[in-house]
Amino acid sequence: MDTPRAIPGAQAIARAALLLRLVSAAGVEGLTVSALARQSALTRPTTHRLLSALRKEGLVDQDEARGTWTPGPELYLMGAAAAARYDVTAVGRDIVRSLAVRTEESAFLSVRRGDETVCLLREEGSFPIRSFVLSEGIRFPLGVASAGLAILSFLPAHDMDDYLDRHPELPDRWGAAHAPHDVRRRVRETQLRGYAVNPGLIVEGSFGLGAAVFNRDGQPQWALSLTGVQFRFGPDRLPELGRTLLAHAHQLTTRIAAARS
């Protein structure tokens, strides 16, 4: 089997794909070359060269007045074409909305993309104090946000081990609580409860719950999650929120299987 190093041009493609993900995550606000170089760990000249090539193909655009780079028209067209196969927002939107209404917290649908989760949908709850950790397009590594922890917890054990081996940088980037032994402990707790809990590990005082949504092969491919302020996720309310979240995740799993059968 070919490794990435054996494929001509693989490194350039991987770097360009990374920049596309960063530009897409930034949305309409965009990012400067300097910010993209810093986030991608590429040099500024390499970053600018790749962005210029992507702009020529219409995959990114540049606001020359602000010096920022944003998603281009071809990226939109590609996304629209891929949505017919990969987008589950059409079948999941009302379930996410129901979750927000039932709990009064902000509710989300995220999808696994490689070693990350990407938020697809956000529905605001009615409770006036909200957490803004997550919104459409935001990415987190598996095991960091509650959605990614829920997905990681129900992957085969060898896949979880491989993931942690690939990402020794997690505690340096996301805090000491993301050391492998701590992630494994939260995985075990998630498996016992059925849903993941993030007790303010990304933003202090902002709690999250996540439940995996499975594809027809029984693999965790998506996740529903809730976020809110800490006092709304106390021990008196947490089990009720968890049960509601799991019920909605099961409903979406069932619906996805029916829609793709």
Side-chain angles (χ1 to χ4, degrees), residues 64-248:
E64 296 189 6
R66 299 173 59 208
T68 54
W69 294 82
T70 56
E74 286 296 327
L75 202 59
Y76 168 78
L77 294 173
M78 290 179 179
R85 179 176 181 186
Y86 295 106
D87 186 18
V88 299
T89 57
V91 297
R93 188 177 299 276
D94 66 313
I95 293 176
V96 179
R97 185 177 299 117
S98 170
L99 184 58
V101 170
R102 288 280 301 277
T103 63
E104 301 182 339
E105 310 296 343
S106 296
F108 309 87
L109 171 62
S110 298
V111 62
R112 181 187 178 189
R113 287 290 179 262
D115 287 353
E116 299 177 312
T117 55
V118 185
C119 179
L120 299 176
L121 284 176
R122 174 183 177 126
E123 288 286 344
E124 299 290 359
S126 61
F127 190 72
I129 304 176
R130 297 167 182 166
S131 168
F132 294 95
V133 172
L134 198 57
S135 59
E136 287 95 339
I138 296 297
R139 295 170 177 263
F140 282 107
L142 297 178
V144 173
S146 60
L149 179 59
I151 289 174
L152 184 67
S153 298
F154 292 98
L155 289 176
H158 61 85
D159 287 346
M160 182 187 69
D161 291 338
D162 289 346
Y163 169 77
L164 292 174
D165 288 343
R166 286 195 303 273
H167 294 283
E169 79 285 355
L170 288 178
D172 290 334
R173 184 176 178 189
W174 297 99
H178 294 92
H181 66 277
D182 289 311
V183 174
R184 292 180 190 278
R185 173 179 52 79
R186 286 194 292 277
V187 162
R188 291 192 296 272
E189 292 169 352
T190 299
Q191 292 168 342
L192 289 171
R193 274 191 308 259
Y195 59 89
V197 177
N198 185 309
L201 298 179
I202 299 175
V203 175
E204 186 176 357
S206 178
F207 270 47
L209 299 186
V213 174
F214 299 85
N215 63 21
R216 293 182 66 194
D217 297 324
Q219 294 298 310
Q221 185 61 40
W222 305 271
L224 291 177
S225 58
L226 295 166
T227 67
V229 290
Q230 180 174 352
F231 72 86
R232 296 276 293 175
F233 288 72
D236 56 331
R237 191 167 182 252
L238 196 62
E240 176 191 351
L241 289 173
R243 286 192 296 270
T244 302
L245 178 62
L246 285 172
H248 282 72

Side-chain angles (χ1 to χ4, degrees), residues 31-34 62-69:
L31 288 171
T32 63
V33 171
S34 297
Q62 184 183 27
D63 184 332
E64 296 189 6
R66 299 173 59 208
T68 54
W69 294 82

